[in-house]
Each structure stands twice: as C-alpha cells, then as structure tokens.
Amino acid sequence: MSAHPAASGLTVGIGGLGAIGLAVAKALDEGRIEGLRLAAVSARDTAKAHRTVDSFRTPVPVVALPELAELAEVVVECAPAAVFTEVATAAVERGRIFMPISVGAMLRHMNLIERARLTGARIVVPTGALIGLDAVRAAAEGTIREVRLVTRKPPLGLAGAPYLVEHGIDVEAIVKATRVFEGSARDGAAGFPANVNVAAALSLAGIGPDATRLEIWADPSVTRNTHTITVDADSARFTMTIENVPSEENPKTGKITALSVIAALRRLTAPMVAGT
C-alpha cells in the first residue's frame, strides 16, 4: 500500500514572494500546513528573496519560475500576471498540481486545461478573496440562469488598471460611488488584471467567463474590498457578500487571499475536508 500524502509529504514551490506568496511560504516553513513542505521559491528581486529565505527555519533555493516545477510537486503561482505562463506551462507540462492566484490569466490560457488532461497535472483554483464557490459549483451541476458579481473598492485600489487608463478614468478624481465597468467576467479580468481575479474564479466555478456578469465600482465610502455575488439557478437563489480587509503590503489584495491559498493547500493532504 502506498503511503498517504500526509505521511510522505508533498513538496511546494512558490512563484512570487509578495503579500500572498510570502505569507504562504512562512506558513509552510513554520510547519503550519501538515503534510506539505516548502521546497523552492522564485521572485523578481532575487537578492531580497535570498535574504528572506535565509531567515527561514529551513532555507530553500531561490530559482527561476520555470524551475519550480523541477523541484516541487505543487506549484503555487503568486507572481504578476505578465509572467503567468512561465510558471504555469512548466508546472502543467511536468504533471504537477498547479495552483494559480492570477486566475484572470487562466482565462487567456484555457489550453492549459487540455494539456493538464494529457500530462496528468491538476489545476486547483483557490477561492481567494471571494465567498461561496462551493454553492456555485453545486448549482452548476444543475442549471444556472444568471451569475452576477458586483465589486466595490476604494478608488485608489483600482489605480493603474489598463481599462481605466485606456478610457481616461482618473480614480483620484472620483468623489462618490461610480461604476467604472460593466460587462463580462472575461473582459473585466483583462481590463483589471490586478483587481478581479475573483471574477475569473467565480466564472470557472459556474457558467463561464462570457456568461458571468461583472460590475466594478470605485467607491470612496468603502474601506474594504467588497464583493457581492448573486446567483439564480434551478436549484437555489442566493446572494452573498464579503468585505475583505486589504493587506498592508498591497491594498489591491485582501488579507483573506493568502489564507485561502493556505486552506486550499491544506485540503491536498487533509484526512477530512468540509465543503463541496
């Protein structure tokens, strides 16, 4: 009989040591995720990354993004969306468990799913800063008529988004709640790559990126990144709202995102999991 993964341990590589990646790396290094251990990291600033891992209980190699798949059975992508394919392609081609955080980039590289089917890789998308993907997945086994996500963020939390730049929208000039985007989750993920990975995750759990509707509001009255999902299906109707505390390191990222990744990793070796 083969050993249970929790007994033998799964190795994990982390691409990116920003707000999310560093929190996950520390949890692994401190032994807080049973059955998994940190094997390698990758980061744009390699000198800083070396200083970081040298402070760990068990220092690990700092390697290029594609090399993570050579050293780890689970590859967690926490890097900028622009380098998504560097880590994703290598992980899928090596048949690894690939956990993307830049979920919006997945929508532009759906061919990875077919490659994973052929190579034996698994692509595991964490819930991230959202809520209720278990209910959406369950409803999708029946018929879903509509899925809508309304995202509200402090205006500066949206600064620099390509869609806003392209349309000449100055978020610093916004003084009242203003809807700055309405369209499909696919278009929203392309126009706001650092802001609405939640929309991509929701669309993958439910009825797809073109049918999932998205509104993005720049709202000076909110201090937390807020997401409201409304689903109308033949099995249930439900509305869910989550208000995320922004991380100190990056206000575009909620603190709960790193915790969601840790929870997703824990499920890989846990003897029992709750939820669909």
Side-chain angles (χ1 to χ4, degrees), residues 21 117 191 222 246:
R117 187 175 285 113
V222 301

mmCIF file of all heavy atoms in Angstrom, residues 21 117 191 222 246:
data_model
loop_
_atom_site.group_PDB
_atom_site.id
_atom_site.type_symbol
_atom_site.label_atom_id
_atom_site.label_comp_id
_atom_site.label_asym_id
_atom_site.label_seq_id
_atom_site.Cartn_x
_atom_site.Cartn_y
_atom_site.Cartn_z
ATOM 1 N N GLY A 21 2.394 35.328 -1.547
ATOM 2 C CA GLY A 21 3.425 34.296 -1.579
ATOM 3 C C GLY A 21 4.233 34.205 -0.303
ATOM 4 O O GLY A 21 4.535 33.110 0.174
ATOM 5 N N ARG A 117 -5.013 17.602 -18.820
ATOM 6 C CA ARG A 117 -5.692 16.321 -19.039
ATOM 7 C C ARG A 117 -4.727 15.295 -19.642
ATOM 8 O O ARG A 117 -4.777 14.103 -19.319
ATOM 9 C CB ARG A 117 -6.905 16.525 -19.943
ATOM 10 C CG ARG A 117 -7.779 15.303 -20.109
ATOM 11 C CD ARG A 117 -9.029 15.612 -20.907
ATOM 12 N NE ARG A 117 -10.002 16.350 -20.103
ATOM 13 C CZ ARG A 117 -10.372 17.606 -20.314
ATOM 14 N NH1 ARG A 117 -9.847 18.282 -21.334
ATOM 15 N NH2 ARG A 117 -11.257 18.202 -19.548
ATOM 16 N N GLY A 191 -9.289 43.797 -18.274
ATOM 17 C CA GLY A 191 -9.146 45.224 -18.022
ATOM 18 C C GLY A 191 -8.660 45.575 -16.632
ATOM 19 O O GLY A 191 -8.144 46.671 -16.407
ATOM 20 N N VAL A 222 -16.149 53.168 0.882
ATOM 21 C CA VAL A 222 -15.781 51.859 1.418
ATOM 22 C C VAL A 222 -14.301 51.842 1.789
ATOM 23 O O VAL A 222 -13.479 52.498 1.146
ATOM 24 C CB VAL A 222 -16.095 50.712 0.425
ATOM 25 C CG1 VAL A 222 -17.573 50.684 0.080
ATOM 26 C CG2 VAL A 222 -15.247 50.810 -0.836
ATOM 27 N N PRO A 246 -8.022 44.924 3.301
ATOM 28 C CA PRO A 246 -6.854 44.958 2.408
ATOM 29 C C PRO A 246 -5.570 44.638 3.173
ATOM 30 O O PRO A 246 -5.434 44.975 4.348
ATOM 31 C CB PRO A 246 -6.831 46.410 1.891
ATOM 32 C CG PRO A 246 -8.208 46.932 2.155
ATOM 33 C CD PRO A 246 -8.691 46.229 3.392
#
